[in-house]
Amino acid sequence: MTDKREILVTEVALRDGSHAIKHQFTVEQVVRVARALDEANVPFIEVSHGDGLAGSSLQYGLSRTNEMELIEAAVSVCKQATIGVLLLPGIGTIKDLNAAAKLGVGMARIATHSTEADISAQHIARSKELGLLTVGFLMMAHMAPPAKLAEQAKLMESYGADVVYIVDSAGALLPDQVAERVRALKESLEVPVGFHAHNNLSLAMANTLAAIKEGATRIDGSVRCLGAGAGNTQTEVFVAVMERMGIHTGIDLYKMMDLAEDIVAPLIQVPQEITRNSLVLGYAGVYSSFRLHAERAAKRFGIDSRDILIELGARKAVGGQEDMIIDVAAEIAKRQAAVESR
């Protein structure tokens, strides 16, 4: 079914969107969303904790429902879509990957920081052994120049990755920067190139189109923009744009519109818009899932969450360093108290 699609879309609302609802998905919600996406002919649907397999923790956020139950539920209702999972080495393990494979997932996306592809070797190898479509996921891509990113992508390809993604985790890239990075990968790799955007600077669609222009054929979207920060490239909008451009995704536009409006919208606790903190994520180059953590820390210490995010950006914090947020907030509060006491 997918061989005639010019662009292959992976729907990430049931993984990236977990951040936006504080990892509170229920089995019933996942079943409704996954079934509707499957009926809309979306080829790939990612399901797991926002920080990937085994992400449920005090540091990253506790899940309401065991993610394996969510994955199993999604697999059970999909007739044509492939269910995928995300795994960050150091959070998820080979054991977690094995467990997900037993439940029937067909794709594993192995994610590392943009300069740390070498830690993905064993996980990519195991994913291939399990017969899964295996994707290398280079996060925080704005922090690596094109040549370095291409070098890291080449490593993932050498480990066996079937696809390598450029991941704008902070929503910090500009269209010309996306184009440079995709071009570098296309010139270096034999495997397809993918792109994952965040909308913190209102550039997710523009960046995605820039990626496609340079040859990216795997694109991530989140229905109703349900994702970390200000969300991702909005899937139903992306499908409409592709149809206007004469590019075939194979996805039913009306069904995507309907499930966005009738099924996903009621799940969203706070409208997915570019708030001041989402904007600061893109402006400062901070991992999109840090927003809610920074807001909680700001409330605890009585400071402005933007100051926390700006400081994290200055320190070049990356995914997995959520424990820094409390320390940074405490330091800012201490400095401000010292100034006020003078």
Side-chain angles (χ1 to χ4, degrees), residues 3 6 44 91 108 113 138 165 173 181 204 222 235 239 297 323:
D3 58 345
E6 296 171 81
F44 298 97
I91 299 177
H113 182 62
L138 289 167
Y165 263 73
L173 288 171
R181 284 160 173 77
S222 60
T235 313
V239 172
D323 54 338

Side-chain angles (χ1 to χ4, degrees), residues 143-159:
M143 297 181 74
K148 181 66 174 180
L149 204 62
E151 169 195 293
Q152 297 296 298
K154 193 70 178 173
L155 283 178
M156 286 182 158
E157 182 183 53
S158 74
Y159 303 148

Side-chain angles (χ1 to χ4, degrees), residues 172-309:
L173 288 171
L174 305 178
D176 61 327
Q177 296 171 323
V178 172
E180 291 170 350
R181 284 160 173 77
V182 174
R183 193 179 310 129
L185 265 64
K186 288 292 292 181
E187 291 173 353
S188 301
L189 304 180
E190 297 297 325
V191 300
V193 175
F195 182 67
H196 174 103
H198 277 270
N199 201 41
N200 300 328
L201 293 177
S202 196
L203 289 172
M205 185 65 72
N207 285 343
T208 297
L209 294 180
I212 290 171
K213 184 176 181 180
E214 292 296 333
T217 56
R218 305 285 181 125
I219 296 297
D220 283 4
S222 60
V223 62
R224 197 70 176 199
C225 221
L226 182 59
N232 310 94
T233 305
Q234 192 165 343
T235 313
E236 65 274 23
V237 179
F238 175 70
V239 172
V241 171
M242 290 296 96
E243 290 198 6
R244 288 288 302 273
M245 294 176 66
I247 297 174
H248 182 59
T249 66
I251 297 173
D252 189 305
L253 176 57
Y254 273 26
K255 288 183 178 179
M256 286 301 301
M257 291 177 176
D258 291 344
L259 78 92
E261 197 84 9
D262 302 331
I263 298 175
V264 176
L267 304 179
I268 300 176
Q269 300 165 350
V270 178
Q272 287 296 96
E273 57 188 3
I274 303 175
T275 63
R276 57 191 173 196
N277 283 325
S278 297
L279 175 57
V280 170
L281 291 170
Y283 172 73
V286 176
Y287 200 62
S288 290
S289 66
F290 281 18
R291 179 177 66 85
L292 293 178
H293 295 285
E295 288 171 356
R296 284 195 290 266
K299 185 176 181 180
R300 174 178 169 183
F301 289 93
I303 59 177
D304 192 323
S305 54
R306 290 172 293 185
D307 291 337
I308 299 173
L309 294 169

Side-chain angles (χ1 to χ4, degrees), residues 115-138:
T115 59
E116 297 177 356
D118 59 316
I119 69 172
S120 69
Q122 64 174 320
H123 300 83
I124 289 176
R126 181 54 182 161
S127 178
K128 293 289 289 183
E129 290 171 359
L130 291 167
L132 306 179
L133 175 65
T134 304
V135 179
F137 218 57
L138 289 167

